[in-house]
Every structure is written in structure tokens, then in C-alpha cells.
Amino acid sequence: MNAVWAAAGLVVGLLAGAAIRGTVFRLSVPSGDPERVTCLQCSAPTRSRLALRCGQCRSSLGTPLALELTTGLVLALLLGRFGGQPDVVAFGFFGVLGVALAAIDIAVQRLPDRLTLPAYPILIVLLTGAAIAGHDFAALLRALLGGLALAGAFLLLALLRPGQIGGGDIKLAGVTGLALGWLGWPTLIAGAAFGFLLAGIVGVALIAARRITLHSAMCFGPFLLGGALVAMLVGGR
Ligand SMILES: [Zn+2]
């Protein structure tokens, strides 16, 4: 862990967290609903995607500082780990995307296509750039295969256990597989395993606390992303 890169990651993450707040607010709506374009308090239209407060009543759009601090922490960890390497931009992008998706999934149990689908070309371009800079086309090929493999595995799970894994989870698994595959097959397998482990631990705890039942649907995106983050930090390369 490089302290200078981690400090830079913290600063970039705080700014990036503020930058994604408007998008998270807009997309935190139930599946099928139109994007949220008005203030929850006074119903005034929210004009700018970068606005942190309602222009009319000044109430905060989303929880103040929650996204900023989370993104700051995630980027401090990722830049501390990948800083100075050709793949640092790709992993920084994945970190910011992951925080936005986890926040929306926790709020409304969905992973919007508006974020997951554009993430594919963006991440592939960033990893291609890293492959060219680092002369590592084997890693790029492994990333593409990793994306296919993890999306395929989640598709299979969704077919076997309908209702548990949704379409958004499958699309997120593909993006996550790209990033983890770049780092190697053991990292990809570890990331997915950590995700299921985290979801299992939290699920059992919530059932024990009677917050959910055995048949409740629980969002899976934050666990897959959390598992991937752990694997990225402890994995090889
Ligand atoms: Zn307002």
C-alpha cells in the first residue's frame, strides 16, 4: 500500500463521490419508474446532475457525505494498491462505479442498465490502454474471458434459483469479471467466493435479528462488489 497514492485516492474519491451524488439520486427509483428529477421535499425540479442540494428548499439530494466518504475510502484503498501501475485508472473507475451501484442497489434493490451497460465499453477501453502501456495482452484476454465466465456463472445461478439473482446482478457480474479477470483466475474466483460469503454472513445475521426472513429478497450487488474489492486488495499481480 503506497501512502501517497492512497492520500491522492482519498481526495479524488471525495470529489468523485460528490460528482456521482446527483446520478445516484436520479437512478434511485423502483424498477420501471422514470428517473427522479424532482426534490423529495418540495418537488422542485433538480436541474443539474452535479447538484448536491435542491435549488429551491436547499434540502440535500441523498444522504450528505455518505457517498463522498465511501468513495474516498474505496479509492484510497484501490489507488494505494494500484497507484503507479498502468491499470490504476481502470480500477479507479471500477471503484467509483461500484460505490454508485451499491448505493442504488441498497436503496431500491436494482442495478440500473444506465450504469452497468456503459461500464463495459469504458472498462474494456481502460484495460486495453493498460494492456498497451504494460505490454500485457494476456491479461486483457483473461479479463474478457473473466467477464464472460462470471456473467455466465451468474446467468446459470439465475436459471437455477429464479428470484434470487436478477438481470442486474448478471450484468454487474460481467463487469466485475472483467476487472477481476485482469488480475488473474484465482483473484476472480476469490472475489466471487468472498461475495457469496459476505452475503451469507449478513443474511444469517439479518435473519437472526429478524430483520428479514429466509424467503426475503436481499440485494446482491453490494456483496459482489465488496467481495471483488477484498480480492483486488489481497490478490496477486
Ligand atoms: Zn427542494
Side-chain angles (χ1 to χ4, degrees):
M1 185 70 62
N2 181 312
V4 176
W5 275 100
L10 177 65
V11 174
V12 173
L14 289 171
L15 295 172
I20 60 174
R21 185 119 73 88
T23 300
V24 170
F25 178 82
R26 266 174 188 256
L27 296 176
S28 291
V29 287
S31 189
D33 281 16
E35 288 183 20
R36 180 184 280 161
V37 291
T38 56
C39 168
L40 291 179
Q41 303 295 328
C42 72
S43 302
T46 50
R47 287 185 189 84
S48 164
R49 269 176 198 280
L50 292 173
L52 299 179
R53 293 180 171 282
C54 169
Q56 187 120 337
C57 73
R58 309 303 297 161
S59 70
S60 180
L61 305 178
T63 312
L65 290 181
L67 282 174
E68 289 82 351
L69 292 176
T70 311
T71 317
L73 174 68
V74 167
L75 284 205
L77 292 169
L78 286 173
L79 265 65
R81 162 77 176 80
F82 295 99
Q85 296 179 199
D87 51 8
V88 64
V89 181
F91 283 96
F93 166 75
F94 183 80
V96 177
L97 172 83
V99 172
L101 284 171
I104 295 169
D105 203 9
I106 289 168
V108 291
Q109 277 80 54
R110 63 185 279 255
L111 296 160
D113 289 351
R114 284 286 307 275
L115 293 183
T116 49
L117 297 184
Y120 281 88
I122 295 172
L123 195 56
I124 289 170
V125 165
L126 293 176
L127 289 176
T128 303
I132 293 167
H135 306 288
D136 194 352
F137 290 96
L140 181 61
L141 178 63
R142 199 173 53 228
L144 297 173
L145 293 175
L148 281 174
L150 206 56
F154 270 66
L155 177 62
L156 197 64
L157 281 175
L159 294 173
L160 292 173
R161 300 284 304 276
Q164 297 282 321
I165 300 274
D169 294 315
I170 300 169
K171 289 166 217 162
L172 175 62
V175 179
T176 308
L178 279 171
L180 290 175
W182 170 267
L183 297 172
W185 292 109
T187 309
L188 184 138
I189 292 164
F194 285 145
F196 283 103
L197 188 67
L198 278 173
I201 292 168
V202 172
V204 166
L206 288 176
I207 289 169
R210 308 211 169 174
R211 296 281 300 274
I212 62 169
T213 69
L214 206 52
H215 304 288
S216 302
M218 200 171 72
C219 59
F220 190 69
F223 299 108
L224 177 60
L225 290 160
L229 179 64
V230 173
M232 285 169 188
L233 297 175
V234 302
R237 274 175 77 85

